[in-house]
Amino acid sequence: MLRQFMSYYRPYAGLFWLDFGCAVASGLLELAFPLAITGFIDRLLPLGDWGLTVLAAIALICVYAVNTGLMGVVIYWGHKLGINIETDMRKRAFAHLTRLSWRWYDRAKTGKLVARVTRDLEEIGEVAHHGPEDLVVAVMTFAGAFALMMALHVELALITAVIVPLMVWLVTVYGARMTRAWHEIYGRVGAFNVRLEEALGGIRVVQAFANERHEETLFAADNAGYRKTKLDAYRIMAVSTAIHYMGLRLVQVVVMVAGAGYVLSGSLSTGGFVGFLLLVGVFFRPLEKIAAVVETYPKGIAGFRRYQELLSVEPDIADAPEAREAPALKGEIVFDRVDFSYDDPLPVLHDISLRVAPGQTVALVGPSGAGKSSMMALVPRFYDPSGGQIRIDGVPLADLTLESLRRQIGLVSQDVFLFGGTLRENIAYGRLGATEEEIRAAVALARLEDLVATLPEGLDTVVGERGVRLSGGQRQRVAIARVFLKDPPVLLLDEATSALDTETEREIQAALARLSEGRTVLVIAHRLSTIAHADLIAVMEAGRIVETGTHAELLALGGAYRRLAGEAVVPAA
């Protein structure tokens, strides 16, 4: 874990050595002050030379000025180092998250993921700054102070060192406890964020059912759990700090009494005694720093461990080593004895075989839960089949890179997601870099001109989080406009017009018919009137295709399709 953590320093080696070097130099200058005081008392004062005394004071001020500059570099540039590493980690984590499959997100909690990419990495950034420099400077200062104390008075130095094993034990034991405590805290933060996100994201449902008090109760439980876990961590910290403080003050008192005896016996000068007392503070300052770091390090360690756990998740869907760029697709899609299931051992699709010819419109119909959407999700490889094979233009999907495959497939689903930006940004998401004319053309094809005309800022109107300022039908038309702009050879329409009124649906269906010309279209619809003119209709029940044919053929067959049609059958033209 340490080796992986240190690898993030490589791009910033120059910044690291600047921070590290200044920290070491600052630590060495700290050791100079007790020696200067010793010389001041033992040598300068007896001489009674004011000029020399003032000169020595000016020299000491210069040393302090240099140390001030070094500390400024450590504080700013050191934190810049930590922030750079934190930023790189966050960038890598986000890129990794965008590549994880739908199957993984089916189980993931967004609130916990947000905590991992925000709070966890902030703590890691602090450790990245303070970690190496604090440890090395602490050891160097510790050893340097002890060496100077030995030079001043061996017996007094050994008396001081007696407390060291206790402090090492304290840091080791309580540091491990703090690490476990903060790891648990991060888990609580994730649950806390999940509760907060769900309650606020679903606030309309909460208020519609008058369940505000229920949500407050659930939130209070998570809040109380978070409070208890954090108090446990701070209780450990309080005990550790108290023991450390008492140990240091006890040593200072012992050194003061023993040192006074050595001064009276003549084995230690007055200046040496004062300098020794100052060195005791310098000697224990690294331990104080380490005690303070006990609060920071466990947070960073716990955060980095969770960060590693996230990066260790391998995407279920990824490019094969030999995968190649997809050429311009003609659009033939073949399902060859395909089986599929989610995590549940019960299969969702059974032995699906279907050929969609290039430029053909094939409709999937059937009751809810028949497997229509699952079958459609296999085409862009949002999931992989558990058995059988899917080919496009004769090439297995796994032999093509995901980006080149998905770039040529357009999807409009029943559950439309809009980003919180402007209407223009949401439409342009279909093809980043599209021109104004192309966006306007997509708006016209999706019958959005009237909406744009009524909005206060037109295409630059902010639609709100998840498009909350638009109606369901308007959101669906924005999703359709994206597909018009993308202009792909393969279209997947999952209830693409389900939220539209009858008149608008007819207009969009006409536009989709124009868009579908020369393209392969796989469409799901519950209203059979919208797919009566499809080239082929596949009827699904319980994860199987039970009938295929045209609208007229299936009606004449008098089977499952006829039952679905019921009294609402629209005669084929």
Side-chain angles (χ1 to χ4, degrees), residues 232-273:
D232 289 343
Y234 282 113
R235 183 174 64 250
I236 296 171
M237 188 190 306
V239 174
S240 172
T241 303
I243 295 175
H244 180 271
Y245 175 84
M246 189 60 197
L248 173 59
R249 298 300 175 257
L250 181 63
V251 169
Q252 285 179 327
V253 171
V254 170
V255 168
M256 190 166 58
V257 173
Y262 288 124
V263 170
L264 294 175
S265 68
S267 63
L268 182 64
S269 67
T270 302
F273 177 52

Side-chain angles (χ1 to χ4, degrees), residues 410-434:
L411 172 64
V412 180
S413 63
Q414 186 174 5
D415 183 19
V416 176
F417 182 91
L418 298 186
F419 297 95
T422 65
L423 185 60
R424 182 193 309 278
E425 291 168 344
N426 274 283
I427 294 172
Y429 206 80
R431 190 169 82 243
L432 301 177

Side-chain angles (χ1 to χ4, degrees), residues 505-569:
E505 182 182 42
R506 279 198 298 267
E507 295 176 350
I508 295 297
Q509 285 293 345
L512 287 175
R514 292 196 301 271
L515 181 64
S516 301
E517 292 176 3
R519 306 174 196 279
T520 302
V521 181
L522 200 59
V523 56
I524 296 174
H526 284 103
R527 285 203 286 261
L528 301 186
S529 60
T530 62
I531 49 90
H533 301 284
D535 299 310
L536 183 69
I537 299 172
V539 184
M540 300 188 66
E541 288 184 350
R544 300 179 185 274
I545 294 178
V546 295
E547 292 176 353
T548 58
T550 65
H551 175 75
E553 291 170 346
L554 292 174
L555 284 178
L557 195 62
Y561 185 78
R562 179 74 198 194
R563 290 196 303 273
L564 287 172
E567 298 299 323
V569 169

Side-chain angles (χ1 to χ4, degrees), residues 60 91 98 184 242 258 272 274 277 334 376 424 451 453 482 505:
L60 191 57
K91 178 181 178 182
T98 61
E184 186 177 349
V274 174
L277 281 175
V334 175
M376 186 175 281
R424 182 193 309 278
L451 170 64
R482 282 179 184 165
E505 182 182 42

